[in-house]
Amino acid sequence: MDKEALSVSGDTDISNFNKNPRVKLYILNENRAWDDQGIAHVTATFVSKLKGISLVVRKEHEYTLMLESKIQPYTAYQKQQETLIVWSEPDSFDYALSFQDKSGCDDIWEKICQVQGKDPSVEITQDVIEQDTEEMEDDHFEDMHDASTGIVLPPCEVSRLEEIAELFNGSLLTPIKREKLTILIENEGYVKKLIDLFHMCEDLDNVEGLHHLYNIFKSLFLLNKTALFEIMFADDVIFDVVGVLEYDPSVPQSERHRDYLRTQTKLKEVIPLNNAELVQKIHQTYRVQYIQDMILPAPSVFEENLLSTLTSFIYFNKMEIVTMIQEDGEFLKLLFRQLADDETDDEKRRDLLLFLREFCTFSQTLAQQNKEAFIKVLSDLGLLSMLEVIMGLDDPVMKSAAIDIFSYIVEFNPSMVRDFILHEGQKQDDDDLLINLVIEQMISDTDPEMGGALQLMGIIRLLIDPENMVGKVQKAEKSEFLGFFYPRCMHVLTAPLCANTVDDKPSKDDYQTAQLLSLIIELLTFCVEHHTYHIKQYIINKNLLSRVLVLLKSRHSFLNLSTLRLLRRTVGLKDEIYHKHIVKMDLFRPVAEAFVRNGKRYNLFNSAVIELFEFIKAEDIKSLVTYFVQRHFKSFEDVEYVQTFKTLKQRDEQHQDRLLNRTGATDTYTPTIRSRFRRDARSLEEEEEIWFEQDDDFDDTDLSSKVDLFTTKLEVDYEPISKLLGNNKQAAQSTNFGRKSPPPKVFSKSAISINIHSSLMGGLTPGSAPVLSPSNSPGTSPTKPSSPPLQENLPPVSANKQGVVGLVDYPDEDSEDDENSEVSDSVLPPAKKARLST
């Protein structure tokens, strides 16, 4: 393994290299056939010895270097079939990378396009000169001939400036002319000659010549070529380029950008930088960023991609800066040592923290595996503990910087922050926890627009979001962290809400308080949507919805809507526990009162309330429908512009009618809600009589299905048995008047022997009595049968099981009735004993 090459490529952590996209490397041999070089991993990173972003390919497991190819600005890279990248090296071989998956190919392709200033949506980064057909080749040759013979750089003279400006501007129209002009400018050192003309015109106050030079250099930027940027942004040229851009013809008074960059800006080295190349790169990056943001006009819609290479130039400069600082092993250690030192004064600590924030911002340009290594280094140096201390200080500048750094860490690796919080929770009180400090910072934000609180709310949301708890330990991480968050942090989050809703109206109703409460409610809404058990227990145990709905009396409409949104999300889960809680605590009452206060105004709140009840109607949530109609329909009965509320009343009436038909009488409100969860005894009687009254002309299949149905009745309750035995007379009479006796052949062919016994049947074993028969019921004496026997309409009784009496016997299988026969009367509930004894 080539460790030296590995460190040069910027991948100091060998274990991270396998996280790069997995590929196969192919090389085109002399016979125009592709040779497979084996499986490897590829990354696009800065390589110091090549002085640029390069494709680095290392063999899998062995980490030996297979290819190190600098991404040249003019090399044509081609993307094929979504997983293949092909290119030709100058004076070398043709290469191809075949990716295992599309996402890895897209990542490397995006890096290549960034270097060359191309849109990643293209499939080839450079214009293809070769054409397949002879006609296209001829046409293209003519274009090249015209371009080569038509572009001739005029002598660099003041009198020819207008001609030069027109030539440069006209060459922007076609890619071929842009390429040709770029090569000519680079080969002839034309930029330096133009700079000399600028000095001459400025000394002579030649305003017209300065305006032409501005147009010329603007065209140089629009050529969008990295080679020209490297010339213009050199230390000895960049200030002159800034000077040329001061003379914009469309601006009456020129800006003094050079004076600002020379006198007003200064690199503050909070820790001495001993690397001269690093210092030069920092200066260059700042000045180029200033040119892009402050000097160059904003590109139009049609020019957005014309400055893409300039953006890429800044991007890769930042990557180089971060890489060089990381390579200095002592720099970051010294930085954190001074931050943690009690003797460091506040101004010094503030500068150190601001530098760290800028450093973290630059590190976002790193590749994924390098960024992971960077975050791990900061974590090992005690970054989170240091941020925890700084958030407790009274310095707003340092607090703001600490929050920005913390936000960057959480966005990239929330699991690492959660682990830190869980570990410190074992040693510290609730008030000293990092996450509680973040919540307190959100609550105490002094900005009337709550900008800082909004940022902190986003951080908290990321930390409690189950979606970013990935991997095999996702369930364990979710359970452990949420089990920690709710008992130890949720009370801090809801404290302002509870303090403001002690009475039946908000105690404070100013704009800033309303904004804060709206953010808290938004977090609670997120919890309701993504957390199940923990938030449900918290809401019910703390009666939190009742407190939140007090805010419907706020004068701020956005807070009313946030409150109603939380209730709507709760109802939308269609969780019966939530529904019972709403009914029990009468949580629709504040909604109805707010709707009445809103009057006939057709606004967002009116629509939100209607949508809430429209959802209840569409989902037919019977418990909430009944509760709403019986308690709060009067507040909505005059609403005519929608039929939602009247339809809810009709639904409830239909539901009550069905219950009335089933139970024979209407109940009070509470039993009405609960009756849907019980099975009424009368309905069982009706089903059994229907079974007996069905036509007896059935075959073996009908017999089996009816036997199964009747057996199921026995398993439900003892009560149907009692009713059946009490109605034998009615069933027998019905059989005599309206039925024919079933043919004996049906039973003779059946493999199942059916025994139906009662105290009225003959053929019983002496001394035995049917289970649960009236004669054996506790507290009763044997009585004379009051109804005729049923044997006349039944097949002969089979008594092949002595001492076992049941309604259905299966001779070859165990029956549940065998178990029922052994159950004594004493185990029956008193109510059932009473009914069976009557």
Side-chain angles (χ1 to χ4, degrees), residues 617-632:
K617 182 194 78 174
E619 297 296 329
D620 195 21
I621 306 176
K622 291 184 174 58
S623 58
L624 295 184
V625 171
T626 302
Y627 158 64
F628 165 75
V629 172
Q630 296 190 8
R631 292 281 188 89
H632 302 293

Side-chain angles (χ1 to χ4, degrees), residues 643-655:
Q643 297 301 311
T644 302
F645 307 108
K646 292 186 177 179
T647 304
L648 286 173
K649 183 172 177 58
Q650 293 172 1
R651 288 268 182 92
D652 181 63
E653 290 174 350
Q654 293 170 0
H655 179 58

Side-chain angles (χ1 to χ4, degrees), residues 42-235:
V42 63
T43 183
T45 186
F46 179 78
V47 178
S48 301
K49 68 180 182 180
L50 297 179
K51 297 183 179 179
I53 303 302
S54 306
L55 294 176
V56 180
V57 182
R58 292 187 176 278
K59 198 168 186 64
E60 190 173 43
H61 303 310
E62 300 177 9
Y63 304 108
T64 54
L65 187 64
M66 300 175 66
L67 175 66
E68 208 169 46
S69 171
K70 182 179 179 181
I71 302 174
Q72 301 290 347
Y74 304 118
T75 300
Y77 292 85
Q78 189 172 3
K79 183 180 179 184
Q80 300 176 3
Q81 302 175 0
E82 296 187 340
T83 58
L84 192 67
I85 296 178
V86 182
W87 77 98
S88 298
E89 289 284 337
D91 303 325
S92 184
F93 302 96
D94 289 357
Y95 293 97
L97 289 174
S98 178
F99 289 80
Q100 183 178 7
D101 52 58
K102 179 179 179 296
S103 61
C105 184
D106 291 341
D107 291 341
I108 299 299
W109 183 252
E110 185 176 353
K111 291 290 179 61
I112 294 172
C113 291
Q114 281 181 347
V115 174
Q116 296 197 341
K118 302 295 181 180
D119 189 340
S121 62
V122 302
E123 293 185 351
I124 184 168
T125 60
Q126 302 294 330
D127 298 300
V128 180
I129 297 178
E130 296 82 12
Q131 303 293 333
D132 294 334
T133 65
E134 182 179 351
E135 180 181 355
M136 295 180 69
E137 286 179 356
D138 293 341
D139 293 342
H140 194 71
F141 177 78
E142 291 177 4
D143 291 340
M144 290 184 64
H145 178 73
D146 292 341
S148 62
T149 57
I151 297 181
V152 177
L153 291 177
C156 222
E157 300 173 357
V158 175
S159 59
R160 308 292 291 272
L161 284 176
E162 184 176 0
E163 180 184 349
I164 297 171
E166 291 177 356
L167 173 65
F168 280 27
N169 188 52
S171 299
L172 297 174
L173 300 177
T174 62
I176 296 176
K177 289 184 177 182
R178 287 203 303 269
E179 295 289 344
K180 181 64 176 178
L181 180 60
T182 301
I183 295 172
L184 289 174
I185 292 172
E186 189 176 359
N187 292 340
E188 297 185 16
Y190 212 70
V191 173
K192 294 285 183 69
K193 297 177 182 179
L194 291 172
I195 293 298
D196 293 337
L197 285 183
F198 166 69
H199 291 153
M200 186 184 304
C201 291
E202 194 171 38
D203 292 339
L204 298 174
D205 290 334
N206 186 347
V207 177
E208 183 180 359
L210 292 171
H211 287 171
H212 288 315
L213 283 167
Y214 174 88
N215 292 326
I216 291 170
F217 273 84
K218 181 181 176 183
S219 298
L220 287 176
F221 276 94
L222 295 178
L223 284 173
N224 205 30
K225 298 300 179 182
T226 305
L228 295 181
F229 289 151
E230 291 176 351
I231 296 172
M232 290 191 293
F233 299 151
D235 287 347

Side-chain angles (χ1 to χ4, degrees), residues 320-331:
E320 290 182 45
I321 291 170
V322 175
T323 302
M324 284 189 280
I325 291 178
Q326 277 187 287
E327 290 175 355
D328 188 348
E330 294 299 321
F331 184 87

Side-chain angles (χ1 to χ4, degrees), residues 271-386:
I271 294 177
L273 298 172
N274 300 321
N275 189 339
E277 184 183 358
L278 173 60
V279 174
Q280 182 271 335
K281 190 66 68 175
I282 293 173
H283 282 302
Q284 184 189 61
T285 304
Y286 176 80
R287 291 161 185 166
V288 176
Q289 187 85 59
Y290 183 85
I291 291 173
Q292 184 186 46
D293 296 341
M294 304 300 298
I295 302 179
L296 290 177
S300 66
V301 176
F302 305 101
E303 297 176 337
E304 285 184 352
N305 291 328
L306 292 181
L307 291 176
S308 59
T309 303
L310 181 62
T311 303
S312 298
F313 186 91
I314 297 171
Y315 175 88
F316 290 114
N317 263 19
K318 292 179 178 179
M319 184 183 293
E320 290 182 45
I321 291 170
V322 175
T323 302
M324 284 189 280
I325 291 178
Q326 277 187 287
E327 290 175 355
D328 188 348
E330 294 299 321
F331 184 87
L332 289 177
K333 293 180 182 178
L334 181 59
L335 173 66
F336 278 88
R337 204 157 44 235
Q338 292 189 15
L339 277 171
D341 191 352
D342 294 336
E343 296 182 0
T344 304
D345 59 78
D346 290 345
E347 184 177 357
K348 176 73 171 178
R349 183 175 284 107
R350 189 182 302 115
D351 292 337
L352 290 167
L353 200 62
L354 292 174
F355 171 80
L356 183 59
R357 179 178 66 180
E358 194 73 13
F359 185 46
C360 289
T361 303
F362 276 28
S363 68
Q364 295 185 27
T365 61
L366 293 173
Q368 180 75 11
Q369 71 278 3
N370 292 342
K371 193 182 294 185
E372 289 179 4
F374 172 74
I375 296 296
K376 187 176 185 306
V377 169
L378 295 183
S379 177
D380 293 341
L381 290 171
L383 174 64
L384 292 176
S385 299
M386 182 267 296

Side-chain angles (χ1 to χ4, degrees), residues 474-527:
Q474 178 177 2
K475 284 189 175 181
E477 183 180 10
K478 175 181 176 181
S479 176
E480 184 179 8
F481 186 76
L482 295 183
F484 170 87
F485 177 79
Y486 276 88
R488 302 195 61 178
C489 306
M490 185 60 91
H491 66 281
V492 181
L493 178 63
T494 57
L497 174 65
C498 296
N500 206 43
T501 55
V502 175
D503 302 321
D504 60 350
K505 64 179 182 179
S507 56
K508 291 178 65 178
D509 201 21
D510 57 280
Y511 178 77
Q512 188 169 354
T513 302
Q515 283 274 38
L516 174 61
L517 295 179
S518 178
L519 293 178
I520 294 173
I521 292 175
E522 186 174 343
L523 272 177
L524 292 175
T525 305
F526 177 83
C527 293

Side-chain angles (χ1 to χ4, degrees), residues 391-435:
M391 284 185 187
L393 302 178
D394 294 330
D395 191 315
V397 176
M398 284 197 284
K399 276 186 179 180
S400 176
I403 290 171
D404 290 340
I405 297 171
F406 185 66
S407 175
Y408 166 70
I409 301 297
V410 172
E411 286 175 6
F412 181 75
N413 195 345
S415 292
M416 184 187 76
V417 180
R418 283 191 285 263
D419 289 341
F420 175 83
I421 292 171
L422 289 173
H423 281 96
E424 74 164 356
Q426 300 173 3
K427 301 176 290 185
Q428 297 187 11
D429 297 333
D430 292 354
D431 295 339
D432 299 326
L433 295 176
L434 175 59
I435 189 170

